[in-house]
Amino acid sequence: MDGEELTEHETALYDRQIRVWGADAQRRLSKSHVLISGLKGTVIEFCKNIVLAGVGSVTLIDDRVVTEDLLAANFLIPHDENVYAGKSLAELCCDSLKDFNPMVRVSVQKGDLSSFSVDFFEKFDVVVVSSCSLSTKKLVNEECRKASKRIAFYTHFHSDFVAEALIRLVQFGVFRINEKHKNGDLRFLKR
């Protein structure tokens, strides 16, 4: 999907979403490169959805080994211990995601997320970070901000009924609709 026009096969495969957001948006999506770290919970659903939508490439980082907790929070992991023995979480999820949409390049990057520099993050259009420390999230956000191109940065944490999220879209600002309330409605404003 690196060409300027969608092929006949791509148009047929992505027909429903082209009807919703148009062929130009589908072409842009097909050229997007997404980095995802922290493969658990809602991040897994996000991975499945962007692969099915036809994003250009997805790179996964998560060197953790499979545990009972991770198995319960990740439908991409096969339940056969012989399959996941010795493989990282990212490797297992990569195998499963490739089956969802063979037209999307899905790969694994090994290493500690906090050890990568701005040069690494500049390969991506979107960086999604979860299941790591706040200091790592801040460090990755700063590296993305240093990049010579715009990189959308998303991070979130959730546990039971508590959740936090940070979304940094470079060309958008955020403003508060309801100033009377500390947690008033927030909206995105295009710059």
Side-chain angles (χ1 to χ4, degrees):
M1 291 186 82
D2 291 331
E4 287 300 313
E5 296 297 321
L6 295 172
T7 66
E8 189 174 315
H9 178 68
E10 292 163 343
T11 302
L13 181 63
Y14 303 122
D15 178 62
R16 288 189 300 173
Q17 56 218 48
I18 290 171
R19 290 180 199 195
V20 173
W21 55 59
D24 184 55
Q26 186 64 42
R27 275 191 298 276
R28 287 190 316 235
L29 182 65
S30 72
K31 293 178 185 179
S32 296
H33 304 286
V34 181
L35 173 67
I36 303 169
S37 175
L39 302 171
K40 184 178 174 185
T42 55
V43 173
I44 296 305
E45 185 68 23
F46 171 77
C47 289
K48 178 198 70 147
N49 290 339
I50 64 167
V51 166
L52 288 174
V55 71
S57 73
V58 173
T59 301
L60 306 173
I61 298 179
D62 200 326
D63 293 339
R64 293 180 293 174
V65 295
V66 176
T67 63
E68 287 297 318
D69 286 343
L70 291 174
L71 190 59
N74 189 328
F75 60 83
L76 295 177
I77 303 172
H79 287 276
D80 181 1
E81 286 186 34
N82 296 322
V83 174
Y84 66 77
K87 285 189 171 183
S88 72
L89 195 53
E91 290 168 322
L92 290 166
C93 291
C94 179
D95 293 343
S96 296
L97 286 170
K98 286 178 179 178
D99 292 338
F100 279 102
N101 188 347
M103 296 184 72
V104 175
R105 294 177 308 279
V106 184
S107 63
V108 172
Q109 176 69 48
K110 291 187 179 268
D112 179 13
L113 187 63
S114 62
S115 68
F116 296 109
S117 69
V118 67
D119 295 332
F120 173 75
F121 293 109
E122 282 188 330
K123 299 178 206 172
F124 304 100
D125 302 299
V126 178
V127 173
V128 178
V129 178
S130 182
S131 301
C132 64
S133 68
L134 180 58
S135 61
T136 299
K137 292 174 183 179
K138 287 179 177 180
L139 179 70
V140 173
N141 182 37
E142 286 307 311
E143 292 298 318
C144 290
R145 291 179 77 130
K146 291 178 195 173
S148 60
K149 70 174 200 173
R150 293 178 172 154
I151 301 173
F153 177 80
Y154 299 84
T155 184
H156 88 284
F157 166 80
H158 70 278
S159 178
D160 298 326
F161 297 107
V162 178
E164 70 177 23
L166 168 68
I167 303 169
R168 189 179 56 75
L169 305 172
V170 179
Q171 64 189 28
F172 292 88
V174 178
F175 69 98
R176 189 177 306 275
I177 294 291
N178 189 343
E179 293 293 336
K180 292 180 183 178
H181 300 286
K182 180 178 144 189
N183 296 324
D185 293 338
L186 299 178
R187 301 285 190 254
F188 292 109
L189 176 66
K190 189 164 184 163
R191 290 184 186 168

